[in-house]
């Protein structure tokens, strides 16, 4: 239970990071944070008992760079809303396509990676879109920095976090559709 995830908000309610319940408990016990949302269960210190936290807010503002999203397969799928960028099919069974093929020096960047269904990836093979006579639905870009990308792994199970994560709503519908 002490390993369960707790969302940490800055003093201005901006999502900062995720820590385990034990760490959150220490922050609250020392008066450095307050509990905004509770989870099931109780935690005990020498001095007092707490209902286990799920979301805490720091009492003091801390300065930190905006969270950066990592370039991974899943982040590319989320950016593309689980949609094949060639035929528009929405599916969970996606592959990563290098628009400019890797053997031609195509790079592993947000601008050169798109989601492709297996059929389209097979058809495109080692060609450029022009050579394969295929067109991209939209130009791949680096997504804007959003706390959604950093925290979305947790949102499915931690529904009480959603109201603290800006950008959640615009993806929620996509996730539900793609999961069915
Ligand atoms: Zn496709």
């Amino acid at each position: 239970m002490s390993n369960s995830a707790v969302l940490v908000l800055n003093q201005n309610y901006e999502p900062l990071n995720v820590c385990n319940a034990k760490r959150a408990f220490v922050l609250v016990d020392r008066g450095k944070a307050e509990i905004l949302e509770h989870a099931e269960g109780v935690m005990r210190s020498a001095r007092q008992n707490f209902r286990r936290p799920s979301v805490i807010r720091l009492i003091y503002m801390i300065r930190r760079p905006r969270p950066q999203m990592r370039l991974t397969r899943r982040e590319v799928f989320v950016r593309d809303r689980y949609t094949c960028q060639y035929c528009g099919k929405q599916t969970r069974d996606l592959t990563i396509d290098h628009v400019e093929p890797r053997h031609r020096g195509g790079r592993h960047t947000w601008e050169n990676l798109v989601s492709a269904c297996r059929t389209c990836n097979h058809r495109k093979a080692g060609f450029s879109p022009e050579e394969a006579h295929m067109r991209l639905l939209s130009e791949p870009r680096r997504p804007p920095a959003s706390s959604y990308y950093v925290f979305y792994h947790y949102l499915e199970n931690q529904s009480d976090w959603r109201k603290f994560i800006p950008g959640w709503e615009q993806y929620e519908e996509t996730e539900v559709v793609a999961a069915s």
Side-chain angles (χ1 to χ4, degrees):
M1 187 184 280
S2 61
N3 287 327
S4 54
V6 176
L7 176 64
V8 182
L9 303 179
N10 212 337
Q11 189 258 345
N12 65 354
Y13 291 88
E14 192 174 321
L16 268 182
N17 56 37
V18 175
C19 73
N20 63 38
K22 193 175 173 187
R23 167 78 183 147
F25 178 69
V26 169
L27 289 170
V28 173
D29 197 40
R30 291 179 182 167
K32 294 185 175 175
E34 63 171 354
I35 301 176
L36 295 184
E37 297 284 336
H38 291 96
E40 299 284 311
V42 173
M43 302 186 77
R44 295 174 181 84
S45 77
R47 285 179 287 161
Q48 51 188 326
N49 294 345
F50 289 110
R51 285 172 66 200
R52 188 167 70 82
S54 174
V55 179
I56 64 170
R57 170 181 170 250
L58 299 179
I59 301 296
Y60 304 102
M61 186 77 179
I62 70 161
R63 291 185 190 284
R64 249 181 49 147
R66 289 193 135 262
Q68 290 295 309
M69 79 217 82
R70 292 169 308 140
L71 176 54
T72 68
R73 292 167 57 85
R74 191 156 173 209
E75 269 78 1
V76 172
F77 297 157
V78 169
R79 180 198 63 184
D80 295 341
R81 305 192 169 203
Y82 288 92
T83 303
C84 172
Q85 292 301 292
Y86 293 103
C87 71
K89 181 179 169 190
Q90 202 171 46
T91 173
R92 287 261 157 175
D93 190 23
L94 286 168
T95 62
I96 291 290
D97 173 58
H98 288 74
V99 178
E100 183 65 27
R102 251 193 299 202
H103 67 265
R104 304 251 187 82
R107 297 197 301 149
H108 197 77
T109 59
W110 285 108
E111 293 79 8
N112 195 48
L113 296 177
V114 294
S115 310
C117 73
R118 290 183 188 280
T119 308
C120 289
N121 202 332
H122 187 73
R123 187 177 146 205
K124 181 168 173 286
F127 299 109
S128 70
E130 296 76 28
E131 291 165 340
H133 303 290
M134 296 168 79
R135 281 186 62 170
L136 284 169
L137 296 179
S138 57
E139 192 184 328
R141 299 173 198 273
R142 169 183 290 274
S146 156
S147 51
Y148 176 78
Y149 281 93
V150 180
F151 299 105
Y152 74 81
H153 302 279
Y154 298 96
L155 292 174
E156 207 165 318
N157 297 321
Q158 309 275 1
S159 56
D160 57 335
W161 292 17
R162 292 176 188 173
K163 60 175 174 278
F164 300 107
I165 308 290
W168 158 255
E169 304 81 6
Q170 61 177 307
Y171 289 93
E172 188 173 26
E173 200 178 331
T174 309
E175 292 278 324
V176 171
V177 170
S180 60

